[in-house]
């Protein structure tokens, strides 16, 4: 459980607060190898004052310090380390000493080892990353809450900035799987796990429930992963849309908990430890490893599951395909160039899907490319402009309800996107089932 005493109330309302100097610092040093920048002098002075006044959340300080060190500390930025009484180069014991003694018996025995290893520029093994993931997700232990929150922020930020290795991704995902609640269903049907961006859409309606229904009617069991919005966009997401419909979450009853669009799997129910990271992610600003790994949560048998998700940044496509193969999904579909990084295509750009299916000896991958002009009615296509929408949960509900009752949204743009998406995903799922 996140220690509320270390998350001041004003920090828990992400849309109604200004960023403090440490959080502004994270925005500059916590980006990544290619995007992090040195801090300007005025921000350095403001951060030093914030440290001296102790007006920060420990998880934010951890994320900031990790980003700063991973980026490389400039001459001017050494003032910040001086304020923290930290030397360079920095050792694991010195990081731990900010909030607790490294000899504290409540610390996991491998924590100092992993911390020292990444500070020395080495990557963690899959086993070490698994142990780290257990610590990051553990609701117990470490009596010192400040130390625990600081280290959680430090680890996820450091890994983000220097980029996680394949072994680290896999170990962290194994830790997430080990803490995820399982649901056992007596069915021979294939599960489809739809995983849209958890931070929602600003300009486009959620239409993936319509795609899920399309396959529901074909005999699949579709489910949607939903959870609270961790940012950085704080807009409508599928969690909000489900609430607008007053649909139940799926807990395991196919008779009473399936909706016309399939089942809605709540992140908090499946993994309460991951849900506890929502507030931390508001405070660490930049998207941590969980922003990718939360898309892989699956309470069902992996051997019967096909994951349908998206990758906004090109490097993450390979990571997501590899991870799905490493953990044993029967199939995977990843959308590229979907609207706002989601599953639904634009009618005026190439739509690409990468798929992978499990064979007896490994996996087979295939890329699919779709052009709306070859699929969507030409008259319909002429009337569309790739328009953007200002959306609310009520409006999105009306769109889905209209399609459910009339098989149309009464909007040529939206109907065209649905037509293209149904064609594309159907072609890919047909290949996966061959």
């Amino acid at each position: 459980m996140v220690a509320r005493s270390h998350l001041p109330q004003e920090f828990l309302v992400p849309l109604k607060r200004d960023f403090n100097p440490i959080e502004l610092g994270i925005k500059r040093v916590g980006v990544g190898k290619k995007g992090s920048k040195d801090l300007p002098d005025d921000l350095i002075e403001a951060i030093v004052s914030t440290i001296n006044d102790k007006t920060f959340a420990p998880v934010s300080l951890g994320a900031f310090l990790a980003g700063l060190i991973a980026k490389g500390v400039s001459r001017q930025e050494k003032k910040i380390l001086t304020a923290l009484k930290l030397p360079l180069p920095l050792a694991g014991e010195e990081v731990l000493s900010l909030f607790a003694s490294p000899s504290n018996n409540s610390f996991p025995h491998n924590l100092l080892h992993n911390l020292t290893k990444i500070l020395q520029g080495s990557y963690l093994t899959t086993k070490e990353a698994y142990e780290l993931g257990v610590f990051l997700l553990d609701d117990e232990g470490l009596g010192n809450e400040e130390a625990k929150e600081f280290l959680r922020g430090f680890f996820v930020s450091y890994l983000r900035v220097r980029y996680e290795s394949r072994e680290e991704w896999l170990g962290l995902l194994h830790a997430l799987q080990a803490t995820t609640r399982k649901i056992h269903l007596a069915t021979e049907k294939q599960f489809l796990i739809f995983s849209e961006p958890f931070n929602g859409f600003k300009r486009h309606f959620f239409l993936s429930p319509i795609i899920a229904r399309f396959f529901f009617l074909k005999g699949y069991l579709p489910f949607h992963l939903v959870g609270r919005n961790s940012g950085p966009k704080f807009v409508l997401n599928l969690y909000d849309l489900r609430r607008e419909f007053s649909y139940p979450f799926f807990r395991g009853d196919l008779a009473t908990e399936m909706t016309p669009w399939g089942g809605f799997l709540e992140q908090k129910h499946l993994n309460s430890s991951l849900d506890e990271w929502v507030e931390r992610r508001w405070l660490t600003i930049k998207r941590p490893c969980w922003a990718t790994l939360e898309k892989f949560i699956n309470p069902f048998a992996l051997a019967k599951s096909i994951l349908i998700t998206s990758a906004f940044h090109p490097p993450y496509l390979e990571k997501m395909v590899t991870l799905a193969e490493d953990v044993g999904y029967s199939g995977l579909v990843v959308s590229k160039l979907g609207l706002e990084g989601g599953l639904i295509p634009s009618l005026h750009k190439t739509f690409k899907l990468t798929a992978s299916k499990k064979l007896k000896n490994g996996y087979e991958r295939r890329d699919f490319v779709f052009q709306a002009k070859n699929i969507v009615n030409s008259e319909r296509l002429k009337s569309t402009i790739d328009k953007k929408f200002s959306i609310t949960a009520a409006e999105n509900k009306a769109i889905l309800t209209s399609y459910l009752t009339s098989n149309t949204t009464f909007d040529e743009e939206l109907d065209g996107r649905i037509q293209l998406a149904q064609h594309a995903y159907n072609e890919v799922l047909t290949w996966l089932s061959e």
Side-chain angles (χ1 to χ4, degrees), residues 213-362:
R213 177 169 175 77
F214 177 77
F215 291 107
F216 200 1
L217 297 175
K218 284 178 169 286
Y220 291 90
L221 282 179
F223 294 91
H224 306 272
L225 292 177
V226 298
R228 296 188 297 141
N229 195 325
S230 298
K233 293 187 297 184
F234 294 98
V235 290
L236 178 72
N237 69 6
L238 268 179
Y239 183 85
D240 305 318
L241 186 55
R242 179 218 60 86
R243 182 171 49 202
E244 184 70 20
F245 274 103
S246 297
Y247 286 142
F249 289 118
F250 186 82
R251 300 286 193 256
D253 190 335
L254 290 171
T256 65
E257 295 171 343
M258 295 295 280
T259 77
W261 323 105
F264 288 86
L265 298 168
E266 184 192 23
Q267 182 182 96
K268 184 175 182 178
H269 175 72
L270 296 180
N271 196 309
S272 59
S273 296
L274 183 60
D275 176 75
E276 287 291 347
W277 269 86
V278 170
E279 286 88 354
R280 293 188 188 105
R281 286 162 66 174
W282 297 345
L283 298 174
T284 55
I285 312 301
K286 294 297 182 180
R287 292 160 60 87
C289 54
W290 306 130
T292 295
L293 297 178
E294 68 186 354
K295 291 187 172 187
F296 287 85
I297 286 185
N298 185 356
F300 308 118
L302 290 172
K304 292 175 60 178
S305 301
I306 295 173
L307 177 63
I308 300 176
T309 189
S310 59
F312 184 74
H313 297 292
Y316 281 86
L317 172 67
E318 175 63 26
K319 293 174 184 176
M320 297 186 79
V321 175
T322 300
L323 273 173
E325 293 173 349
D326 284 346
V327 298
Y329 272 93
S330 69
L332 171 75
V333 185
V334 182
S335 160
K336 296 182 286 185
L337 306 179
L339 292 168
E340 287 196 70
L343 301 179
I344 301 301
S346 160
L347 295 180
H348 299 277
K349 297 178 182 177
T350 300
F351 185 49
K352 299 180 180 180
L353 296 174
T354 293
S356 176
K357 64 179 176 181
K358 192 172 186 177
L359 306 175
K360 289 183 178 179
N361 299 304

Side-chain angles (χ1 to χ4, degrees), residues 95-160:
V95 172
L96 289 178
S97 71
L98 280 174
F99 285 95
S101 167
S103 62
N104 188 331
N105 291 331
S106 66
F107 282 90
H109 72 279
N110 50 25
L111 192 62
L112 179 58
H113 167 79
N114 288 342
L115 186 57
T116 299
K117 192 170 182 179
I118 65 170
L119 286 173
Q120 291 174 342
S122 299
Y123 289 91
L124 303 179
T125 64
T126 299
K127 181 177 182 295
E128 290 167 340
Y130 170 81
E131 293 169 344
L132 175 59
V134 169
F135 164 72
L136 295 174
L137 293 166
D138 186 11
D139 284 334
E140 305 298 332
L142 267 199
N144 186 329
E145 286 292 336
E146 286 190 338
K148 178 161 56 174
E149 292 305 310
F150 168 79
L151 289 169
R152 281 172 164 158
F154 189 94
F155 274 114
V156 297
S157 181
Y158 199 99
L159 294 180
R160 171 195 163 87

